[in-house]
Amino acid sequence: MKIREGWHTYWKNPGDAGLPPRIEWSLPEGFEAGEIEWPAPERFAEGTLVTYGYHREVLFPVRITPPNALGGDSVTIEATFDWLECADVCLSASGQLRLVLPTSAEEARQSADAGLMTDARSRLPRPATGWNLSAEAGPRAISLAFVPPAGVTPRAAYFFVDQPLVVEHAVPQGFEHAGAGYRVTMAPAANASGNLARLTGVLVVERGRFQPRMAVQIDVPVIPGNPAPAPVPKEKAGSPVIAYAVAGVIIGFALAFIMRRTRRRKSHHT
Amino acid sequence: MKRIAILACILFLGSVSNTQAAAIVGKPAPAFELRDADGKAVKLAAFKGKHVVLEWVNFECPFVGKHYGSGNMQELQKKYTGKGVVWLTVCSSAPGKQGHVTRAEAKDLVQEKDAAPTRFLLDPKGTVGKAYGAKTTPHMFVVDPKGILVYNGAIDDKPSTKREDVATAKNYLAAALDASMSGGNVAIAATQPYGCSVKY
């Protein structure tokens, strides 16, 4: 999907509002389509609410398994793709997709779109191999503690929960370096139903400025407890709150500078 | 003068806070007073002794279009108000935002859609929406005759904008009303609502 500037579409858990895309396949006999493999999402502020999804460009990989034997010269794969796209308003859309692929006894060659596929795969969350993970839930916070593999130094982290009614998405998450590892904390959902047995979703870790973010799949048992919320890090530059704060500091310093200059000039006159 | 400068910094930095209000199932529903499409004041407390449905609306949202376009929402309104339920449709779209309506526009839309809420309430400042933690359009709430919230969530279990999904969906709102009105417990009392974000 190529998404217009300022618009976004949604992850499998859209957060406070929205809807994930849906594909209905129409496949030749014996073919099977897997689920969408969801790339690691980003978060969007929709007014006071927070949603999870994608902007600019996103590719949703789906594995299609053919039967053991293929007849004919080609196979036709068709699908209906329904999606919701939102900016400050939402539009729902539907598209018919059709792909005719030649069948051949020769080994498959890479197509012109191979790079696109490789890029899409790189955006998928990885299994948490080498990560030490644990989760604890209490009335004040749900805490995901992690020790990353050697050489990974997180500067920030965000946990995209994929379960409904577990977390208040619009409450900023806490993050801290704790002991040998790190902690991300979330506000429990006001209408959470009963005890949380497992925490599932995607942990996204920001590293150094020139290192790509890492996304790992999370599925951990939850220990009941009373973890404290970790401090909420200051928002990244680019958010309106921080822009105002930066503007405030600049105006403040400018004022101080002008005042000092004026006072100095005045003292010259006297 | 330096003090003013420092104050300017503090003022700009100080505006960072975030608290989330929500209507919690099993707790008293937040009290409120709003004006309806006729300009009359409507208090939740006035409906003690009756079941009350709160429906968040934005007629330009495709999810609302699904439930009004299929006639689902109007049918629910007629069925349950016919049984003595008070149905309050609330619009929390801010002026200038999608779905915002004036009193006259609200009345026209109710007529045009053949909708049958008991009252259509205007919440342009979003205070009631925020007090309830209304997130989407639609987002449904049920208050029992004692004023306790017994349902908070989606209208049904088919998150989509497709009208044809209404026929096969399990309607959470109807299930909650039927259970609570017959004196039973609501089996599914909280769900994740689906729809467009409320345009506060």
Side-chain angles (χ1 to χ4, degrees):
Chain A
M1 282 181 79
K2 287 203 164 103
I3 302 163
R4 266 177 301 170
E5 185 69 37
W7 291 73
H8 57 268
T9 191
Y10 295 91
W11 187 49
K12 61 179 170 180
N13 177 7
D16 280 332
L19 188 75
R22 190 163 75 177
I23 308 175
E24 268 172 51
W25 294 100
S26 171
L27 300 172
E29 183 90 31
F31 279 67
E32 270 179 42
E35 296 293 315
I36 293 176
E37 293 173 44
W38 298 92
E42 294 181 58
R43 75 199 132 115
F44 300 95
E46 292 193 27
T48 53
L49 304 172
V50 167
T51 60
Y52 303 141
Y54 312 96
H55 69 313
R56 295 197 192 109
E57 196 173 294
V58 62
L59 199 142
F60 299 109
V62 176
R63 185 177 292 273
I64 293 175
T65 312
N68 287 333
L70 287 181
D73 300 332
S74 69
V75 291
T76 304
I77 292 169
E78 288 177 291
T80 306
F81 186 67
D82 294 312
W83 77 99
L84 183 77
E85 222 172 309
C86 298
D88 49 348
V89 301
C90 296
L91 294 174
S92 90
S94 185
Q96 298 295 321
L97 310 175
R98 190 164 186 266
L99 183 65
V100 182
L101 292 170
T103 53
S104 153
E106 285 167 44
E107 206 176 321
R109 281 171 293 116
Q110 290 206 332
S111 78
D113 293 329
L116 199 65
M117 299 297 285
T118 310
D119 186 48
R121 295 233 164 260
S122 74
R123 287 180 68 179
L124 298 180
R126 306 288 165 84
T129 316
W131 293 67
N132 194 344
L133 302 157
S134 66
E136 194 182 359
R140 291 180 295 161
I142 297 168
S143 170
L144 174 66
F146 62 94
V147 183
V152 177
T153 311
R155 298 204 314 173
Y158 194 90
F159 181 63
F160 292 91
V161 66
D162 64 12
Q163 303 153 285
L165 293 182
V166 167
V167 160
E168 285 298 329
H169 307 292
V171 177
Q173 295 187 358
F175 174 70
E176 68 180 359
H177 191 78
Y182 301 83
R183 258 180 11 112
V184 173
T185 61
M186 296 140 267
N191 279 293
S193 55
N195 284 335
L196 184 63
R198 297 192 80 81
L199 190 66
T200 65
V202 172
L203 176 70
V204 172
V205 167
E206 308 281 348
R207 297 185 286 163
R209 189 163 302 172
F210 301 109
Q211 293 170 294
R213 62 182 203 156
M214 290 180 87
V216 286
Q217 294 161 0
I218 303 295
D219 182 357
V220 284
V222 176
I223 304 155
N226 188 8
V232 175
K234 287 196 182 102
E235 284 289 315
K236 273 193 291 180
S239 91
V241 172
I242 266 304
Y244 285 134
V246 169
V249 171
I250 291 168
I251 291 166
F253 279 114
L255 270 172
F257 182 72
I258 293 162
M259 291 310 145
R260 208 182 302 152
R261 290 278 298 236
T262 322
R263 212 178 296 154
R264 223 180 269 162
R265 219 174 282 154
K266 267 186 194 155
S267 59
H268 280 302
H269 284 298
T270 49
Chain B
M1 278 309 160
K2 215 176 204 172
R3 222 178 271 164
I4 292 175
I6 291 163
L7 202 69
C9 296
I10 293 166
L11 278 177
F12 275 101
L13 285 167
S15 56
V16 189
S17 76
N18 202 328
T19 50
Q20 291 292 308
I24 295 165
V25 168
K27 300 259 169 72
F32 65 80
E33 180 176 329
L34 285 174
R35 298 267 163 189
D36 72 2
D38 291 317
K40 289 185 187 136
V42 175
K43 273 187 187 176
L44 178 66
F47 303 117
K48 268 244 164 97
K50 289 185 172 184
H51 277 88
V52 179
V53 171
L54 298 171
E55 171 216 342
W56 258 264
V57 80
N58 162 1
F59 283 117
E60 290 166 61
C61 160
F63 296 87
V64 173
K66 168 191 176 184
H67 291 286
Y68 277 92
S70 62
N72 185 39
M73 196 66 86
Q74 298 94 319
E75 276 172 37
L76 290 163
Q77 289 165 347
K78 284 168 192 167
K79 178 180 174 184
Y80 287 101
T81 53
K83 292 181 175 188
V85 171
V86 172
W87 188 297
L88 305 176
T89 300
V90 188
C91 180
S92 294
S93 291
K97 296 279 182 76
Q98 191 195 44
H100 174 76
V101 285
T102 61
R103 270 158 39 186
E105 285 164 347
K107 286 171 94 163
D108 285 350
L109 278 162
V110 166
Q111 199 169 25
E112 184 193 312
K113 309 275 179 197
D114 193 24
T118 312
R119 303 286 191 94
F120 189 105
L121 305 181
L122 305 176
D123 181 33
K125 288 180 182 160
T127 43
V128 176
K130 285 174 186 168
Y132 274 76
K135 290 171 178 161
T136 58
T137 50
H139 189 163
M140 311 302 294
F141 299 84
V142 178
V143 184
D144 79 0
K146 290 176 189 153
I148 303 296
L149 192 82
V150 294
Y151 182 73
N152 174 346
I155 182 166
D156 64 29
D157 69 345
K158 286 263 166 83
S160 80
T161 55
K162 292 190 167 180
R163 289 176 194 188
E164 59 267 31
D165 283 343
V166 167
T168 53
K170 174 182 162 55
N171 194 295
Y172 291 133
L173 175 82
L177 279 167
D178 292 343
S180 186
M181 288 167 75
S182 60
N185 281 329
V186 175
I188 301 170
T191 59
Q192 177 161 295
Y194 70 86
C196 310
S197 56
V198 175
K199 309 304 177 193
Y200 291 118

